[in-house]
């Protein structure tokens, strides 16, 4: 059976973009068709200035939302990255395989380090090396597929390069994974800035629909969404990014086609209203299940504990093999 790995970074509250672009596919497709591991990748949240209590809180919230969305521990493995030591163990070996140049070419490093310098902040070494930790997340499980958004494809390519290089130098140890992307709504855009991705850690939440927003807040954000010049409802990402974003969100909620939906509407207002209601109804059962799970934290802890044990059993033989292959003396 194909094995897949994917994760969510607890740097902010999960959004509609996280759900439509990733989590729903995990629930509806991946956990049924593959041996699937889904992780709250909390170590990745430490690459920038952070509040420790907030990271812990958001990690629990993310895990609870993943379960509320429909990930079934009987079908897949749900765990927290830092609960499995093999991620950090393997990351150092891959740092010894990667080069400074290929890490500095990572687009996200260029963008995030430039923003940090512009605001007078120092740039943490982990911001440069975190794609190597991401590679360790994947290679530790010999994953075949990695469901990712478009902005993470470059990191999967690095993972492939590192796997091939390690295998050639030290003997075959890792599977070489491939990135997979959902066909629709892989990249939900900010409602106030439809040229930017709807991100968890955006400073202003005005254009972001969070999964735990109540229905009235969801409606208000979507009704205030930025649209485009003219009055025609057309699906054109270049000329009408605001309208295209709304059409993609609506089509994802209803399993429709954005081109066909464009022909149904003769006003932006009607499109916004229907999109708002579709999102409210999509998120309603998820929010209800989250409330029930949040009221029983012991259950969530148990799922994460069992998930970490299962993940550790898969990763440890692979990482131990990598330690032997690269030349480290086995522990007695």
């Amino acid at each position: 059976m194909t094995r897949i790995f994917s994760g969510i970074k607890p740097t902010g509250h999960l959004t509609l973009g996280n759900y439509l672009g990733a989590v729903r596919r995990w629930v509806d497709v991946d956990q049924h068709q593959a041996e699937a591991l889904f992780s709250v990748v909390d170590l990745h949240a430490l690459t920038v200035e952070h509040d420790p209590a907030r990271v812990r809180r958001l990690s629990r919230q993310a895990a609870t939302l993943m379960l509320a969305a429909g990930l079934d521990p009987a079908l897949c493995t749900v765990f927290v990255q830092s609960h499995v030591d093999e991620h950090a163990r393997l990351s150092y070996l891959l740092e010894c395989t990667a080069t400074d140049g290929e890490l500095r070419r990572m687009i996200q490093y260029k963008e995030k380090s430039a923003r940090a310098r512009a605001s007078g902040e120092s740039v943490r070494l982990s911001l440069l090396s975190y794609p190597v930790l991401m590679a360790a997340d994947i290679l530790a499980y010999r994953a075949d597929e990695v469901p990712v958004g478009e902005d993470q494809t470059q990191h999967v390519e690095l993972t492939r390069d590192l796997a091939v290089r390690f295998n050639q130098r030290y003997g075959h140890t890792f599977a070489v994974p491939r990135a997979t992307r959902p066909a629709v709504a892989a990249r939900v855009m900010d409602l106030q800035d439809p040229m930017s991705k709807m991100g968890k850690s955006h400073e202003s939440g005005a254009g972001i629909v969070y999964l735990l927003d109540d229905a009235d807040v969801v409606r208000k954000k979507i009704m205030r969404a930025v649209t485009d010049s003219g009055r025609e409802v057309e699906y054109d990402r270049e000329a009408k990014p605001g309208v295209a974003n709304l059409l993609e969100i609506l089509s994802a909620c209803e399993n429709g086609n954005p081109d066909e939906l464009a022909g149904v509407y003769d006003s932006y207002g009607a499109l916004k209203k229907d999109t708002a209601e579709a999102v409210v109804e999509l998120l309603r059962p998820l929010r209800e299940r989250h409330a029930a799970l949040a009221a029983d934290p012991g259950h969530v802890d148990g799922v994460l504990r069992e998930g970490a044990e299962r993940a550790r059993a898969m990763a440890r033989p692979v990482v131990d093999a990598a330690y032997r292959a690269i030349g480290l003396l086995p522990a007695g």
Side-chain angles (χ1 to χ4, degrees), residues 8 65 124 141 158 165 174 177 180 220 222 226 231 285 308:
I8 283 183
L65 279 167
R124 299 188 181 193
Y141 300 100
L158 173 68
R165 190 178 306 156
F174 302 119
T180 59
K220 186 179 296 184
I222 294 177
V226 168
R231 296 184 177 181

Side-chain angles (χ1 to χ4, degrees), residues 38-115:
F38 302 110
S39 180
V40 179
V41 286
D42 53 344
L43 295 175
H44 290 293
L46 311 184
T47 61
V48 294
E49 191 67 31
H50 63 277
D51 171 32
R54 185 171 187 265
V55 171
R56 283 191 292 270
R57 186 170 64 252
L58 290 176
S59 295
R60 175 178 290 280
Q61 184 185 91
T64 306
L65 279 167
M66 288 159 67
L67 297 173
L71 288 182
D72 184 348
L75 299 174
C76 65
T77 301
V78 181
F79 68 104
V80 175
Q81 177 193 33
S82 63
H83 294 176
V84 180
D85 293 345
E86 278 64 32
H87 292 253
R89 288 180 63 208
L90 181 56
S91 184
Y92 181 72
L93 298 196
L94 296 179
E95 285 183 13
C96 297
T97 308
T99 68
D100 176 78
E102 62 191 346
L103 293 181
R104 291 188 186 280
R105 286 194 294 272
M106 293 289 108
I107 294 171
Q108 289 205 7
Y109 172 73
K110 291 180 179 179
E111 294 176 347
K112 290 181 178 180
S113 61
R115 283 199 299 268

Side-chain angles (χ1 to χ4, degrees), residues 3 37 79 82-90 93 136-137 139-142 173-174 308-324 331:
R3 181 176 289 178
L37 299 103
F79 68 104
S82 63
H83 294 176
V84 180
D85 293 345
E86 278 64 32
H87 292 253
R89 288 180 63 208
L90 181 56
L93 298 196
D137 297 338
L139 297 181
Y141 300 100
R142 292 193 172 125
T173 306
F174 302 119
E309 291 172 357
R310 197 182 311 167
R312 196 177 300 116
M314 283 187 262
R316 183 163 292 170
V318 179
V319 177
D320 285 349
Y323 268 57
R324 290 191 300 272

Side-chain angles (χ1 to χ4, degrees), residues 110-162:
K110 291 180 179 179
E111 294 176 347
K112 290 181 178 180
S113 61
R115 283 199 299 268
R117 292 188 184 99
S119 61
E121 298 176 4
S122 58
V123 179
R124 299 188 181 193
L125 179 60
S126 56
L127 186 62
L128 178 66
S129 62
Y130 96 88
V132 177
L133 176 58
M134 181 176 172
D137 297 338
I138 299 163
L139 297 181
Y141 300 100
R142 292 193 172 125
D144 304 293
E145 294 184 1
V146 189
V148 292
E150 184 179 344
D151 58 330
Q152 293 292 332
T153 302
Q154 187 185 32
H155 292 158
V156 180
E157 289 304 314
L158 173 68
T159 301
R160 291 170 55 85
D161 291 343
L162 295 179

